[in-house]
C-alpha cells in the first residue's frame, strides 16, 4: 500500500399497537424515504465518448426519474440500491447469490481495501472484479466518509486526510491524488472523488470550508485520474443542509463535466445486512425481530408476500433458532433483506416507467408509516411527489392520510 506514512500525527409516525416484533418506525423506513427523496436531479448526464458510461432517462414523474446506466461491466436500471461490500465482500453471501437476487452494483471502500489486502495486490491479481469473482458493476468510495466515521482517528488539512490506521495504529496520509491512484488500481466502474465530509448536524463556517475544499480537491482528482476511458470519476455534493452552498457545489461539479455525482439515482447503506446480523428482517410493514420469543413457534415465512429463497423455504421459528447461535441465521436474513431492497428498487423503477409512481409511494407508506406521524408523512409525500400543500392537490394527500388512518394494521 502506497498511502504515505508519517512519523507523527495529530488528530480531528397508532392504529392499534403492533406486536413488539414489528417496528414500522424503523431505519428501514428512513432508508426508503431518503431514497424517494433522493430521486431529484435537474438534468440527465449526457453521453460523452471520453466517458466510460452512457445514461438514458426512460421515464419521469416530476423530479423522480427512472433510467438506464450503462457501465463497463453492467447495464444498470435506476434507481438502484448498492449493497456495501467494504472489503470486497457482502458478509455471508456469495457473488452467485448476489446475482441471484438481482444485485447490479456493489460498493467497496478505498480506505479499507488499501489497508487490506492492498490495492497493489488487487491490481496484480487483475483488479477487484476478478479478485472477488464479480462480473457486474462496482463502485469504490474515496475513503472520505472515514473523515466522519473515524473522526477520532483523522486530521483534515488542505493536503489531505491523516488517518491513524485501525490495523497497526500508524498514521497514514490520504490525499486526493492517492485516493484516485488507489482506485485506478482497484479498477471499479465508478470511482469517487475524495471530498471533505462533515456531519449534517454541523453548522457554521466549517460547512462552507468543506464545500470549497471539496471543489479544490475535485480538480486534483481529475488531474490524477489515469483511466477515464475505463473508470468514471464521480463527484460528491457538499454544503451540508445549506441550499446555497449545495447549489454552488453542484454548479462547480457541472462546470467540470464529470460523468456523474452520487446521491440521486444510486443509494447505499449497510443497514440491510448489518441489521440482519442482529436478527432483524425487513418487511413491508417495517422490521421483524426474529430474536423475539414470539417467533419461537411461528411457522410463517418472514414475509408471506416475498418470493426470495429464504421465505420460500424457511419459517420464522427456524430462523429464530439460528439467529443467536449459528452464522446461517444472519446469512439467511442478509439474503432476504437484500432481496427486499433489490425488489424495492425494481418496483420504484417500474412505477416511474409505468406512470404510477404516486400510487406506489402512497401504497408503500400506507403499509410502513403509523398514523401518529401523519403530518410528517404529509410533508414527505408533498416533497417526493412535488405537490404544494397550498394547492388544490392538497386534497389528494388528505385522502391518502385518511385512508391510512382508517386502515387496519396487519401484522
Amino acid at each position: 500500500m502506497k498511502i504515505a506514512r508519517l512519523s507523527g500525527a495529530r488528530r480531528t409516525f397508532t392504529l392499534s399497537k403492533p406486536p413488539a416484533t414489528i417496528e414500522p418506525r424503523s431505519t428501514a423506513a428512513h432508508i426508503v424515504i431518503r431514497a424517494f427523496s433522493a430521486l431529484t436531479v435537474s438534468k440527465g448526464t449526457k453521453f460523452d465518448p471520453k466517458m466510460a458510461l452512457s445514461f438514458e432517462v426512460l421515464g419521469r414523474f416530476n423530479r423522480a426519474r427512472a433510467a438506464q446506466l450503462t457501465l463497463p461491466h453492467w447495464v444498470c436500471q435506476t434507481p438502484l440500491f448498492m449493497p456495501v461490500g467494504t472489503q470486497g465482500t457482502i458478509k455471508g453471501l456469495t457473488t452467485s447469490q448476489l446475482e441471484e437476487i438481482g444485485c447490479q452494483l456493489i460498493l467497496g471502500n478505498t480506505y479499507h481495501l488499501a489497508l487490506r489486502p492492498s490495492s497493489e495486490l488487487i491490481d496484480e491479481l487483475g483488479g477487484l472484479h476478478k479478485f472477488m469473482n464479480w462480473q457486474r458493476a462496482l463502485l469504490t468510495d474515496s475513503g472520505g466518509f472515514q473523515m466522519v466515521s473515524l473522526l477520532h482517528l483523522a486530521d483534515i488539512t488542505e493536503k489531505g486526510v491523516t488517518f491513524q490506521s485501525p490495523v497497526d495504529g500508524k498514521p497514514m496520509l490520504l490525499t486526493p491524488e492517492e485516493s484516485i491512484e488507489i482506485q485506478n488500481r482497484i479498477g471499479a466502474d465508478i470511482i469517487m472523488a475524495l471530498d471533505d465530509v462533515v456531519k449534517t448536524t454541523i453548522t457554521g463556517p466549517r460547512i462552507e470550508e468543506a464545500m470549497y475544499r471539496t471543489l479544490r480537491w475535485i480538480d486534483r482528482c481529475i488531474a490524477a485520474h489515469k483511466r477515464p476511458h475505463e473508470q468514471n470519476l464521480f463527484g460528491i455534493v457538499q454544503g451540508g443542509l445549506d441550499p446555497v452552498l449545495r447549489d454552488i457545489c453542484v454548479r462547480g461539479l457541472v462546470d467540470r463535466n464529470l460523468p456523474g455525482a452520487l446521491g440521486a439515482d444510486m443509494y447505499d447503506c449497510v443497514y440491510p445486512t448489518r441489521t440482519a446480523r442482529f436478527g432483524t428482517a425487513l418487511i413491508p410493514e417495517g422490521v421483524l425481530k426474529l430474536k423475539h420469543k414470539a417467533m419461537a413457534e411461528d411457522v410463517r415465512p418472514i414475509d408471506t408476500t416475498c418470493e426470495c429463497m429464504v421465505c420460500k423455504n424457511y419459517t420464522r421459528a427456524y430462523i429464530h433458532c439460528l439467529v443467536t447461535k449459528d452464522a446461517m441465521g444472519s446469512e439467511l436474513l442478509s439474503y432476504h433483506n437484500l432481496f427486499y431492497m433489490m425488489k424495492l428498487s425494481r418496483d420504484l423503477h417500474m412505477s416511474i416507467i409505468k406512470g404510477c409512481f404516486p400510487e406506489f409511494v402512497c401504497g408503500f407508506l400506507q403499509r410502513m408509516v403509523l398514523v401518529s406521524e401523519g403530518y410528517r408523512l404529509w410533508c414527505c409525500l408533498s416533497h417526493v411527489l412535488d405537490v404544494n400543500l397550498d394547492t388544490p392537490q392538497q386534497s389528494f394527500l388528505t385522502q391518502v392520510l385518511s385512508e391510512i388512518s382508517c386502515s387496519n394494521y396487519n401484522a
Side-chain angles (χ1 to χ4, degrees):
M1 180 179 66
K2 282 182 64 180
I3 292 181
R5 297 194 177 271
L6 306 181
S7 57
R10 297 200 319 247
R11 291 198 340 124
T12 109
F13 156 7
T14 119
L15 306 181
S16 60
K17 188 175 181 181
T21 51
I22 298 180
E23 294 189 357
R25 294 186 63 184
S26 65
T27 304
H30 300 162
I31 292 174
V32 179
I33 290 173
R34 184 175 63 191
F36 290 152
S37 302
L39 302 178
T40 57
V41 184
S42 57
K43 297 180 180 179
T45 304
K46 298 179 180 179
F47 176 71
D48 185 323
K50 293 182 287 187
M51 297 177 182
L53 64 70
S54 64
F55 188 85
E56 179 185 3
V57 176
L58 304 176
R60 292 183 183 272
F61 178 83
N62 292 336
R63 294 179 297 173
R65 71 184 183 188
Q68 179 170 287
L69 172 64
T70 303
L71 296 168
H73 289 86
W74 197 249
V75 178
C76 303
Q77 308 300 316
T78 72
L80 67 84
F81 176 77
M82 303 178 287
V84 178
T86 300
Q87 292 187 294
T89 182
I90 308 297
K91 292 181 180 179
L93 297 183
T94 66
T95 53
S96 296
Q97 288 177 311
L98 291 169
E99 291 177 357
E100 187 178 284
I101 65 175
C103 178
Q104 305 179 81
L105 192 157
I106 295 174
L107 183 146
N109 185 272
T110 296
Y111 170 77
H112 291 287
L113 287 169
L115 287 174
R116 290 183 303 200
S118 84
S119 60
E120 289 84 0
L121 178 60
I122 292 173
D123 189 24
E124 290 174 10
L125 297 177
L128 187 56
H129 283 91
K130 187 174 181 180
F131 184 68
M132 63 182 290
N133 189 33
W134 178 246
Q135 308 304 315
R136 300 184 181 182
L138 286 170
L139 178 150
T140 44
D141 194 1
S142 64
F145 183 72
Q146 276 63 47
M147 295 182 197
V148 172
S149 64
L150 298 176
L151 187 60
H152 63 292
L153 300 176
D155 181 30
I156 307 163
T157 66
E158 190 64 29
K159 187 174 183 180
V161 192
T162 300
F163 292 103
Q164 181 181 343
S165 171
V167 177
D168 57 15
K170 295 180 180 179
M172 308 173 303
L173 176 64
L174 181 63
T175 66
E177 293 82 3
E178 185 65 22
S179 174
I180 298 303
E181 185 178 347
I182 293 170
Q183 293 185 84
N184 281 164
R185 288 196 292 264
I186 293 172
D189 300 71
I190 297 172
I191 64 177
M192 303 303 302
L194 186 65
D195 57 327
D196 189 350
V197 184
V198 294
K199 292 183 179 180
T200 55
T201 54
I202 291 179
T203 58
R206 177 71 182 97
I207 299 293
E208 184 173 2
E209 176 192 45
M211 186 275 294
Y212 281 112
R213 178 174 287 147
T214 292
L215 289 177
R216 292 192 296 272
W217 281 4
I218 191 66
D219 291 327
R220 292 166 59 184
C221 289
I222 292 170
H225 187 19
K226 305 302 181 186
R227 302 178 61 185
H229 303 293
E230 303 165 276
Q231 297 178 283
N232 300 282
L233 174 61
F234 277 25
I236 302 176
V237 179
Q238 287 296 339
L241 301 178
D242 188 321
V244 175
L245 293 179
R246 295 189 70 83
D247 184 64
I248 293 171
C249 195
V250 167
R251 292 176 185 275
L253 295 177
V254 170
D255 289 343
R256 288 159 174 80
N257 196 33
L258 295 170
L262 193 61
D265 302 285
M266 303 149 59
Y267 50 102
D268 71 277
C269 188
V270 299
Y271 180 76
T273 49
R274 178 172 291 172
T275 197
R277 296 195 289 274
F278 289 91
T280 302
L282 305 183
I283 59 174
E285 295 80 11
V287 295
L288 187 70
K289 295 194 172 183
L290 276 302
K291 284 186 178 181
H292 198 279
K293 62 182 180 180
M295 298 290 102
E297 298 180 3
D298 195 330
V299 296
R300 293 174 294 174
I302 293 172
D303 176 11
T304 57
T305 67
C306 180
E307 298 181 354
C308 80
M309 172 273 293
V310 178
C311 290
K312 284 182 177 179
N313 294 287
Y314 301 100
T315 65
R316 296 178 179 184
Y318 176 69
I319 298 174
H320 169 79
C321 291
L322 295 176
V323 289
T324 58
K325 303 174 183 177
D326 195 295
M328 186 177 176
S330 62
E331 293 169 7
L332 292 176
L333 287 177
S334 293
Y335 185 101
H336 166 82
N337 285 354
L338 288 180
F339 183 95
Y340 175 93
M341 293 303 300
M342 298 306 157
K343 183 179 185 301
L344 177 60
S345 296
R346 291 193 299 271
D347 290 347
L348 273 169
H349 176 89
M350 292 309 301
S351 72
I352 299 171
I353 297 293
K354 293 179 179 180
C356 57
F357 180 65
E359 292 82 0
F360 176 80
V361 173
C362 291
F364 175 87
L365 293 175
Q366 185 170 350
R367 299 186 70 176
M368 179 71 75
V369 187
L370 292 179
V371 168
S372 62
E373 290 192 357
Y375 179 74
R376 178 178 166 189
L377 171 58
W378 192 324
C379 295
C380 177
L381 284 171
S382 69
H383 175 73
V384 172
L385 304 180
D386 200 20
V387 175
N388 190 324
L389 295 179
D390 297 324
T391 70
Q393 290 174 305
Q394 175 179 354
S395 60
F396 170 73
L397 297 181
T398 303
Q399 179 182 355
V400 171
L401 288 173
S402 175
E403 290 175 358
I404 293 176
S405 300
C406 296
S407 295
N408 293 320
Y409 185 85
N410 296 316

